[in-house]
Amino acid sequence: MSEVSVTKDAVEKTGELVALTGVNKHFGALHVLQDVNLSIARGEVVVVIGPSGSGKSTLCRTINRLETIDAGTITIDGNPLPQEGRELARLRADVGMVFQSFNLFAHKTVLQNVMLGQLKVRKTDKKAAEEKARALLDRVGVGTQADKYPSQLSGGQQQRVAIARALAMDPKVMLFDEPTSALDPEMINEVLDVMQQLAREGMTMVVVTHEMGFARSAANRVVFMADGRILEEAPPEQFFSNPRSDRAKDFLSKILHH
Ligand SMILES: Nc1ncnc2c1ncn2[C@@H]1O[C@H](COP(=O)(O)OP(=O)(O)OP(=O)(O)O)[C@@H](O)[C@H]1O
Ligand SMILES: [Mg+2]
């Protein structure tokens, strides 16, 4: 057994952290999330895959309430998602999100980007926020870039800053929506390595990605979505070697053989 999977299995799973129950969401006539039930344990890494338009991003966005839902419930640590105000800001900090585009503040330095949420939402004092930001930037391998502006960094570096910024809030769970798909090929691994490390350290993660190597080595579970529904859920070994639905077989044949 590889070192990675030994470590991964050793991560203690202590109960449910995120729960979606009977979640439904429409965009006008389009039923984008259809009776979605998903329970994510503390420390679990769930990789979400599926065809374009199947609702993967929408699913992620409902978990930190960037999208509202029409029916069903979503809880984090047993608490339903807050509707608005300060509670909602706190939820957003508890649920770190990393998007395909890096979404850093262009007019702030890398260091300031990673300090900002700590100062504004967590009310951390400036010195502590800076120390933490520098430590996190070191951890994701961009410590020497702290005083630059985002535009002076490569895509891979910017994405690692975005990860550091989310981590600065001590999130309970991290959502990644295709974090490497806007990157040049040679930068993909440097971002996946950081994510791989986070997974090993026991971070609870939901990751939408086409990187099947990452799914195989880091995921505890693969969730396959099509047409707004979760069609299959299985450990990666099982899902990749023996997908049950025709949709999943078809999808895998397309992404694995080109
Ligand atoms: N704000 C919106 N308004 C209307 N329709 C939307 C909106 N956001 C998404 N949709 C539609 O909802 C469906 C699901 O979109 P979503 O972005 O969740 O899919 P996805 O699985 O992430 O796709 P991709 O792999 O292309 O990123 C799509 O048909 C999309 O066009
Ligand atoms: Mg998407």
Side-chain angles (χ1 to χ4, degrees):
M1 206 188 261
S2 75
E3 195 188 327
V4 169
S5 59
V6 169
T7 324
K8 165 182 95 184
D9 292 342
V11 171
E12 202 183 342
K13 306 287 184 297
T14 45
E16 187 174 73
L17 181 63
V18 181
L20 288 84
T21 312
V23 169
N24 281 276
K25 165 87 184 164
H26 297 77
F27 285 121
L30 193 65
H31 198 172
V32 278
L33 294 178
Q34 305 190 29
D35 301 317
V36 170
N37 296 299
L38 182 64
S39 170
I40 300 166
R42 217 175 289 280
E44 191 177 20
V45 178
V46 173
V47 164
V48 180
I49 66 173
S52 180
S54 57
K56 307 179 297 293
S57 294
T58 306
L59 179 77
C60 276
R61 293 165 58 84
T62 61
I63 298 177
N64 68 353
R65 217 168 183 282
L66 287 173
E67 299 286 357
T68 56
I69 57 177
D70 304 332
T73 55
I74 302 179
T75 60
I76 310 256
D77 240 352
N79 302 309
L81 300 191
Q83 304 292 306
E84 56 193 14
R86 215 193 276 157
E87 288 294 308
L88 183 57
R90 212 168 293 147
L91 167 93
R92 296 245 167 86
D94 280 345
V95 181
M97 179 121 190
V98 176
F99 301 91
Q100 179 173 343
S101 56
F102 322 122
N103 296 112
L104 298 171
F105 293 109
H107 59 287
K108 294 198 182 293
T109 66
V110 162
L111 183 69
Q112 287 167 341
N113 264 282
V114 182
M115 288 174 64
L116 195 65
Q118 298 185 72
L119 301 175
K120 295 259 189 261
V121 180
R122 295 295 193 215
K123 311 290 183 202
T124 313
D125 78 66
K126 212 169 162 200
K127 185 159 173 288
E130 177 171 345
E131 271 172 24
K132 184 168 192 172
R134 290 197 186 276
L136 283 167
L137 289 168
D138 279 341
R139 182 164 147 202
V140 301
V142 292
T144 57
Q145 314 294 324
D147 298 320
K148 290 190 180 168
Y149 287 88
S151 62
Q152 299 172 292
L153 270 57
S154 74
Q157 289 171 328
Q158 288 186 58
Q159 195 60 305
R160 286 181 283 153
V161 174
I163 293 172
R165 182 180 56 176
L167 291 176
M169 309 304 282
D170 297 318
K172 291 178 177 168
V173 52
M174 287 280 286
L175 311 176
F176 293 88
D177 189 0
E178 300 200 31
T180 60
S181 50
L183 298 177
D184 291 338
E186 68 270 25
M187 291 167 193
I188 290 175
N189 280 337
E190 64 193 32
V191 172
L192 290 179
D193 285 348
V194 168
M195 293 167 61
Q196 189 69 258
Q197 182 63 31
L198 269 182
R200 275 197 293 254
E201 288 166 3
M203 176 61 76
T204 309
M205 295 165 58
V206 178
V207 185
V208 179
T209 185
H210 301 296
E211 297 294 331
M212 295 303 123
F214 176 83
R216 280 177 190 277
S217 61
N220 299 106
R221 183 159 43 128
V222 173
V223 165
F224 175 72
M225 286 187 76
D227 302 327
R229 292 181 185 278
I230 293 179
L231 290 193
E232 295 194 35
E233 293 181 64
E237 317 81 71
Q238 190 182 322
F239 178 77
F240 289 117
S241 61
N242 190 21
R244 293 189 307 271
S245 64
D246 287 341
R247 289 300 295 272
K249 283 177 196 161
D250 180 54
F251 178 77
L252 285 177
S253 73
K254 282 179 185 140
I255 59 163
L256 298 177
H257 304 295
H258 69 75

